[in-house]
Amino acid sequence: MGAIKKFRMSQIETLAIDGWLPPRESEEPRIAAMLESGKVLLLPNLRFELRSDERRFLDPRWSDRKSKNISYDPASKTIKGAFGNDADLEDLRRLLERFHLRATGLITQLFPAYAAHLRIAAASFRPMPVAGRASSWRKDDSRLHIDAFPSRPNRGERILRVFANVNPNDVPRVWRVGEPFPDLAQRFLKKLPRQWPGSAALLSALKITKSRRSAYDHLMLHLHDAMKFDLDYQKTAPQETVPFAAGSCWICFSDQTSHAVMSGQYLFEQTLHLPVAGMYNADSSPLRVLEKLRKRRLA
Ligand code: SIN
Ligand code: FE
């Protein structure tokens, strides 16, 4: 057709870091700017090592089958979602605890400005193969989406995640990564339903939400749904397929980076929450991007 093909920048940025406590970087502002603009930071040389006696946990049989993931709560230092005898469960708990410590240490080392602001949430171990089919389109994480959770309003607080593929057979975890947040916000914002007056109070009173759903939470939830529901968008949206190799780690703000998981097995993940005020550049946050488009405060 002769038209000049538009060059799209990859949403993946590779860092050479190969240890969990990398020396403090002169590169901090540059790396922070990449992360906060919604890029996925890929650390191909950073491996979360399992000791030989821990490799037995690379098996779906440790799941209690009621929950998809085995999770570690840093407040109580306990695990949930696992099935096994006390000694095995204690070893598994320690494994999750070690990942939790490494992942949180990595973030505070790379982004020292976050340290004072972070609210460190759960870590998870995902021993099941990425399923072929989800129970509903809304729960189908093989569709491009941004993370937003119906029962947990966050009023703009960020969702930062560290992932480690620990597959022992060199099976990559394959994601699709979509377009930058401002692009998808602009694309969908006009189509999102309005929040009815009184609905936030009602959802909270009915205990459907754990706290009041802000206008921000309402928009993010509907953005998540609108992306997943639109099969044409799923096919035609700007996107790249990214095979995260076994033995690699990656970091992103999953409330901002459009992502979908296509295949893989055996993943560790740590979630950290960061108030917008703790960012290097709050203007790049989904909250500020949406507020700018809506021309009003949303949280
Ligand atoms: C997701 O956050 O959508 C899933 C990520 C994964 O399990 O790889
Ligand atoms: Fe997700």
Side-chain angles (χ1 to χ4, degrees):
M1 308 208 265
I4 296 166
K5 216 172 171 183
K6 211 168 148 190
F7 177 72
R8 278 191 185 279
M9 274 204 339
S10 171
Q11 295 303 111
I12 315 301
E13 296 281 356
T14 304
L15 304 183
I17 288 161
D18 60 1
W20 288 94
L21 278 179
R24 289 251 155 120
E25 292 248 9
S26 55
E27 293 226 283
E28 178 193 338
R30 196 178 67 89
I31 300 178
M34 293 187 311
L35 179 70
E36 293 190 351
S37 72
K39 305 263 176 170
V40 177
L41 302 185
L42 169 61
L43 289 61
N45 305 327
L46 186 61
R47 180 186 290 271
F48 179 61
E49 288 281 4
L50 272 65
R51 293 193 311 261
S52 57
D53 61 302
E54 291 171 329
R55 305 241 163 90
R56 69 188 193 280
F57 293 119
L58 300 178
D59 191 314
R61 77 186 155 102
W62 301 99
S63 162
D64 70 1
R65 303 294 159 126
K66 284 179 251 148
S67 15
K68 262 200 319 197
N69 306 333
I70 296 169
S71 63
Y72 171 83
D73 168 28
S76 62
K77 303 191 177 189
T78 57
I79 57 170
K80 266 200 296 221
F83 171 81
N85 70 37
D86 289 354
D88 284 331
L89 289 184
E90 173 56 16
D91 289 349
L92 181 54
R93 190 197 69 80
R94 279 173 192 241
L95 174 58
L96 270 110
E97 181 166 62
R98 190 168 82 243
F99 177 72
H100 154 74
L101 292 171
R102 296 221 150 144
T104 54
L106 176 70
I107 293 298
T108 51
Q109 190 75 8
L110 290 179
F111 310 108
Y114 290 170
H117 301 275
L118 288 171
R119 192 167 62 78
I120 293 164
S124 68
F125 170 49
R126 307 180 179 188
M128 311 303 276
V130 171
R133 209 179 310 164
S135 52
S136 74
W137 62 265
R138 205 177 252 120
K139 288 188 181 153
D140 185 357
D141 288 338
S142 73
R143 300 184 186 206
L144 288 166
H145 65 284
I146 44 116
D147 286 348
F149 303 104
S151 64
R152 276 174 278 159
N154 63 27
R155 289 175 275 297
E157 194 180 48
R158 309 303 316 277
I159 304 173
L160 178 58
R161 292 192 147 151
V162 181
F163 300 91
N165 181 356
V166 296
N167 189 285
N169 305 313
D170 272 333
V171 177
R173 197 167 192 92
V174 180
W175 277 24
R176 291 185 294 144
V177 175
E179 64 188 329
F181 188 85
D183 295 358
L184 68 94
Q186 214 138 25
R187 191 191 295 270
F188 284 102
L189 199 58
K190 282 199 193 75
K191 302 181 205 161
L192 304 183
R194 63 169 295 197
Q195 188 180 28
W196 294 104
S199 68
L202 185 64
L203 289 170
S204 173
L206 294 173
K207 306 257 189 291
I208 293 169
T209 55
K210 294 188 174 123
S211 61
R212 249 341 146 81
R213 192 179 279 175
S214 66
Y216 171 80
D217 293 296
H218 172 86
L219 288 176
M220 290 295 279
L221 215 46
H222 282 284
L223 186 52
H224 166 277
D225 286 2
M227 292 171 76
K228 280 189 176 174
F229 189 73
D230 188 340
L231 286 175
D232 186 55
Y233 178 72
Q234 292 293 325
K235 261 195 251 139
T236 60
Q239 58 191 280
E240 60 200 297
T241 296
V242 189
F244 293 110
S248 72
C249 286
W250 60 103
I251 306 170
C252 71
F253 279 109
S254 64
D255 55 354
Q256 176 178 13
T257 305
S258 165
H259 63 283
V261 59
M262 308 316 290
S263 63
Q265 188 176 12
Y266 304 122
L267 180 80
F268 280 85
E269 171 272 332
Q270 171 71 52
T271 300
L272 307 94
H273 296 291
L274 180 74
V276 166
M279 295 175 62
Y280 291 77
N281 171 22
D283 285 344
S284 64
S285 66
L287 176 63
R288 296 287 178 253
V289 169
L290 292 173
E291 286 184 336
K292 208 165 158 194
L293 289 169
R294 275 282 153 105
K295 301 188 177 63
R296 68 178 187 96
R297 293 198 72 108
L298 298 170

